[in-house]
Amino acid sequence: MVVNIIGKGSREIDTTEAISCTARLAGSFLFRSFEFKINDAKAGTIMLSEQANTKGPQLVNITHSVLQNFGIQIDNNKMSNGNKKQALSNFVDVIGKVQKAQLENDQLTMGLQIISNITDYNDKADKFKKVFGTCCDVAQSGCGCNDTTPKEVGTGGGPVGI
C-alpha cells in the first residue's frame, strides 16, 4: 500500500521515501494507541510522554526483529557513515494519503465480507453493485445479474436449477 501511494502507482520509488513513510506510519499508529484526549493539537505537534519513552524503543526493537527475520542484518558501523539523505515528502500529507487508502481498503473488505454471507443471488448482486458500482460481466459467474435464462418463481431469483 505504501509503495502504491508514494510511488503514485509505480513500483519505482525512492527507498528513503518508502522507509520514512513506513516509519512515520508506525509512529502514528503507536501514538494513537496511547489514546490521549487531545482537542487542540495541530498535525505535526511534538507530543512528549512517558508512554512514548517506553513504547518507542519497543517499536524500534520490533522493527529490528522483523528485519532479522527476513535475513536483513543491520551493520551499525555502516549506519553512522551511511547515506544521510532525508525524505522530501511532507509528513502530514503522506500520513493523510496512506490513512485514506487504508480506510477505503477497510471499507471494501468489510463490504466483501458482508456480501459473501448473502445466499440469495439477486440480493448478493444488488449489494455488490452498491459497493462496487457494477456486478459481473458474464452470466456464468452465478450471481444471476446478467443471466437471460427464464427464472422460476420462488427460487430466489437465481438461474433455473440453482
Side-chain angles (χ1 to χ4, degrees):
M1 177 178 61
V2 171
V3 170
N4 286 336
I5 292 167
I6 64 175
K8 299 178 181 117
S10 169
R11 294 203 46 89
E12 294 180 22
I13 61 167
D14 180 59
T15 55
T16 303
E17 290 292 334
I19 293 167
S20 176
C21 180
T22 305
R24 290 169 172 176
L25 189 58
S28 178
F29 288 148
L30 179 63
F31 174 76
R32 290 173 194 199
S33 76
F34 301 155
E35 296 183 9
F36 292 135
K37 304 297 180 219
I38 303 168
N39 298 324
D40 59 349
K42 296 196 183 345
T45 301
I46 296 173
M47 304 293 296
L48 304 176
S49 74
E50 188 56 40
Q51 286 175 297
N53 291 342
T54 303
K55 299 290 185 178
Q58 290 176 356
L59 179 60
V60 172
N61 288 336
I62 290 168
T63 303
H64 185 258
S65 296
V66 169
L67 290 172
Q68 282 186 323
N69 191 40
F70 282 106
I72 300 169
Q73 298 298 319
I74 297 174
D75 183 345
N76 288 330
N77 294 326
K78 290 181 181 178
M79 297 276 289
S80 59
N81 298 328
N83 185 351
K84 306 276 191 229
K85 183 177 179 186
Q86 300 255 337
L88 301 175
S89 59
N90 176 290
F91 170 74
V92 176
D93 291 342
V94 170
I95 291 296
K97 288 177 186 174
V98 172
Q99 291 175 129
K100 181 181 180 214
Q102 185 60 49
L103 287 172
E104 289 170 355
N105 186 44
D106 290 347
Q107 288 174 336
L108 289 175
T109 300
M110 191 176 356
L112 284 172
Q113 288 172 343
I114 292 168
I115 292 168
S116 70
N117 293 326
I118 298 172
T119 56
D120 179 89
Y121 292 115
N122 285 335
D123 191 26
K124 185 177 274 198
D126 182 55
K127 299 298 187 281
F128 197 92
K129 288 175 191 175
K130 285 182 181 178
V131 173
F132 298 101
T134 185
C135 187
C136 58
D137 57 357
V138 293
Q140 293 83 359
S141 65
C143 73
C145 73
N146 286 317
D147 188 25
T148 57
T149 307
K151 312 284 189 274
E152 288 183 12
V153 176
T155 62
V160 175
I162 293 184

